[in-house]
């Protein structure tokens, strides 16, 4: 039974009914509609913390989805799961694939920056300042791009860029 038919939550059921109505009305081919169902079920499983199930659904959606923009969000969500599991290198792979398909994906850019920032701080704590600073510079690069695309977002990153002298402009928003 698809996840969408198992939801106990009223809001989830309502979303599922609305999504199904929209899906039926959309002028999309069968393959695109099926990809959306897998994506929707993946998001539901991910929200419930059922990461293995979410990944299974996302991988199925990825096989079916042809639109690069939609595919970038599937890849992004796969990256989120790997990041939340502490698999940072794997998460980076998926975030990069998402950006390759959709270069204006600020959330993917932000998450890449977060991982580089975390890794850079860890290296500095371990006494490897040079490599740590290099990763912090990479984090700054990705945050600047995310902020350029979404100037009202990532306020903490904007403050970090400014306080560390990595900001290239004085005001982002």
């Amino acid at each position: 039974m698809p996840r969408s038919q198992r939801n106990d939550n009223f809001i989830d059921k309502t979303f599922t009914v609305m999504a199904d109505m929209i899906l039926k009305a959309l002028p999309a081919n069968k393959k695109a509609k099926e990809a959306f169902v897998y994506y929707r079920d993946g998001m539901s499983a991910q929200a419930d913390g059922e990461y293995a199930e979410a990944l299974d659904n996302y991988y199925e959606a990825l096989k079916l989805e042809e639109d690069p923009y939609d595919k970038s969000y599937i890849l992004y969500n796969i990256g989120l799961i790997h990041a939340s599991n502490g698999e940072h290198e794997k998460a980076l792979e998926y975030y990069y694939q998402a950006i390759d398909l959709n270069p204006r994906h600020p959330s993917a850019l932000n998450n890449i920056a977060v991982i580089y920032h975390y890794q850079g701080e860890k290296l500095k704590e371990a006494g490897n300042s040079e490599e740590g600073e290099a990763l912090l510079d990479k984090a700054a690069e990705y945050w600047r791009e995310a902020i350029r695309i979404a100037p009202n977002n990532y306020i903490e990153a904007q403050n970090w860029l400014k306080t560390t002298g990595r900001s290239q402009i004085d005001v982002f928003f």
Side-chain angles (χ1 to χ4, degrees):
M1 168 186 333
R3 169 171 277 280
S4 58
Q5 293 175 1
R6 292 184 289 172
N7 288 334
D8 298 336
N9 180 317
F10 173 75
I11 294 172
D12 286 344
K13 283 183 180 178
T14 303
F15 171 76
T16 299
V17 169
M18 294 300 292
D20 286 341
M21 288 172 50
I22 292 168
L23 192 59
K24 287 176 184 168
L26 280 177
N29 66 36
K30 185 178 188 244
K31 197 172 176 183
K33 290 179 180 185
E34 191 176 349
F36 176 77
V37 170
Y38 279 113
Y39 179 68
R40 182 195 61 210
D41 287 351
M43 288 191 315
S44 178
Q46 186 174 357
D48 290 344
E50 300 291 338
Y51 296 142
E53 182 182 345
L55 285 174
D56 287 343
N57 280 295
Y58 289 145
Y59 291 136
E60 288 301 318
L62 210 50
K63 289 178 197 172
L64 297 166
E65 186 58 63
E66 295 173 348
D67 180 80
Y69 184 82
D70 292 342
K71 215 172 200 175
S72 76
Y73 280 91
I74 298 167
L75 292 163
Y76 169 75
N77 282 334
I78 293 171
L80 283 176
I81 291 172
H82 289 297
S84 68
N85 288 335
E87 301 168 319
H88 296 138
E89 296 306 317
K90 211 168 193 177
L92 285 171
E93 289 175 29
Y94 284 98
Y95 292 146
Y96 279 125
Q97 288 178 52
I99 290 170
D100 285 344
L101 295 176
N102 177 10
R104 296 188 49 82
H105 197 309
S107 298
L109 293 162
N110 174 65
N111 289 6
I112 290 170
V114 168
I115 291 172
Y116 284 143
H117 182 268
Y118 171 80
Q119 291 174 336
E121 290 295 333
K122 287 293 179 194
L123 283 171
K124 284 177 65 175
E125 286 173 17
N128 193 339
S129 290
E130 194 173 309
E131 279 186 52
E133 285 296 325
L135 284 176
L136 293 176
D137 288 342
K138 277 180 95 167
E141 175 186 331
Y142 283 94
W143 267 324
R144 284 192 300 267
E145 183 62 16
I147 292 163
R148 188 187 64 72
I149 295 166
N152 295 325
N153 296 355
Y154 317 115
I155 302 303
E156 286 182 39
Q158 291 181 37
N159 290 335
W160 179 82
L161 288 167
K162 204 169 187 181
T163 59
T164 61
R166 289 179 168 91
S167 174
Q168 292 179 334
I169 54 179
D170 197 28
V171 178
F172 290 108
F173 49 89

